[in-house]
Every structure is written in C-alpha cells, then in structure tokens.
Amino acid sequence: MQSVTPFFIFLLLLVSSYGRIEKEALSENKDKSFCDHIKRDSTIWLSKEMAPWSDRMTTETGVIVLEDGAGAMVSRAWLSEYAEQSIDMQYFIFSIDNVGLIACDYLVRAADRGVKVRILVDDIIVDADIEDILMLASHKNIRIKIYN
C-alpha cells in the first residue's frame, strides 16, 4: 500500500501542473483570434501553381463547380488567400452566417493586399442586411453587384 502512495502523489502533481499550464496557455491566447494563428505561406504563388496551364489560359476559360460544402469553403479560402490580381465570385445564396463570414473575411484580406474583388449575387436569396453589404462594398477593392 505504501508503494502506491508515491504513484498517486506523482499523478496528482501531474494533473495539477497540467491544469496550470492549460490556464497559462489560455490566458496568453485570450486576446488572439483563431485566424491570427493562420499564416500565409509566402513561398506559394498562385501564378506559379497555375504555370503548367498558362498557354491554355490565354485562349480558353474554365469553371469549376464546388459542390461539397466543406471542400468548397476550404477551396475558396485557399484561392482567396493566394489570389494575386483579382477574384470574381458568383453567389446564388449570399448569407452572413458562419460560412459567409469566413468567406467575407478572406475576401477582405485579399482586398487589403490589393486584390480586386468582384462579387455577383443573385437577389433571390440574400440573407444579409443592406448595411452589411454596403459595408463590404465600401472597401476600395471590392465591388458587389446584385442582379434579378
């Protein structure tokens, strides 16, 4: 029974120190948002990634339909993060929900880097206040057009 006691003391010290470390980590990061920890890889350039198709891009156009929700969100975020000159997006549903806010955040970050952003929105399902749309459109590098 006496040999068990040191094990429990060790276990108690381990658990109590873990809680203290966790609290310190939380207090250090409480003023930072999750997105502050995401860093853009400055060695990646979208134009370099697309270089193998550059000859075709002078004479042809293409469209990729992003049907899977999670994959579409990650793809839009990555493409927005590495866009160099312009972004043209078309939305059927324009909403200020969690996904919409993430998409808008990446678009604003791109616009802040000097990327020209054009958004075309179908007016059938616009789930955002006009103030939100006007605030987004007030950025010098963002243009929003609503049709129908």
Side-chain angles (χ1 to χ4, degrees), residues 50 52-63:
M50 299 300 292
W53 299 278
S54 62
D55 292 342
R56 292 181 69 185
M57 288 190 286
T58 58
T59 59
E60 299 176 28
T61 60
V63 174

Side-chain angles (χ1 to χ4, degrees), residues 46-47 82-88 110 113-117 141:
L46 192 53
S47 56
Y82 292 98
E84 298 170 32
Q85 296 177 4
S86 65
I87 297 172
D88 291 309
R113 290 194 323 272
V115 175
K116 302 293 182 192
V117 177
N141 289 327

Side-chain angles (χ1 to χ4, degrees), residues 61-130:
T61 60
V63 174
I64 297 175
V65 178
L66 303 172
E67 294 182 32
D68 169 55
M73 185 178 74
V74 170
S75 296
R76 287 186 307 222
W78 191 92
L79 290 167
S80 296
E81 190 69 16
Y82 292 98
E84 298 170 32
Q85 296 177 4
S86 65
I87 297 172
D88 291 309
M89 297 184 92
Q90 181 176 347
Y91 279 98
F92 176 70
I93 300 172
F94 189 78
S95 177
I96 305 297
D97 58 2
N98 289 342
V99 173
L101 290 173
I102 291 169
C104 288
D105 180 59
Y106 274 92
L107 292 174
V108 169
R109 288 168 42 175
D112 286 346
R113 290 194 323 272
V115 175
K116 302 293 182 192
V117 177
R118 297 187 306 174
I119 305 169
L120 183 61
V121 179
D122 190 319
D123 75 346
I124 291 175
I125 304 177
V126 176
D127 188 20
D129 294 333
I130 190 65

Side-chain angles (χ1 to χ4, degrees), residues 5-73:
T5 305
F7 174 74
F8 284 118
I9 292 172
F10 172 75
L11 186 62
L12 181 63
L13 289 173
L14 182 67
V15 169
S16 65
S17 65
Y18 177 76
R20 195 169 44 245
I21 292 169
E22 231 3 74
K23 286 178 185 175
E24 289 173 9
L26 288 173
S27 66
E28 288 175 9
N29 293 326
K30 72 178 182 181
D31 295 330
K32 295 181 181 179
S33 75
F34 173 77
C35 293
D36 289 340
H37 299 287
I38 300 171
K39 301 295 181 207
R40 185 173 185 270
D41 185 347
S42 60
T43 63
I44 295 175
W45 291 91
L46 192 53
S47 56
K48 287 181 185 176
E49 298 295 319
M50 299 300 292
W53 299 278
S54 62
D55 292 342
R56 292 181 69 185
M57 288 190 286
T58 58
T59 59
E60 299 176 28
T61 60
V63 174
I64 297 175
V65 178
L66 303 172
E67 294 182 32
D68 169 55
M73 185 178 74

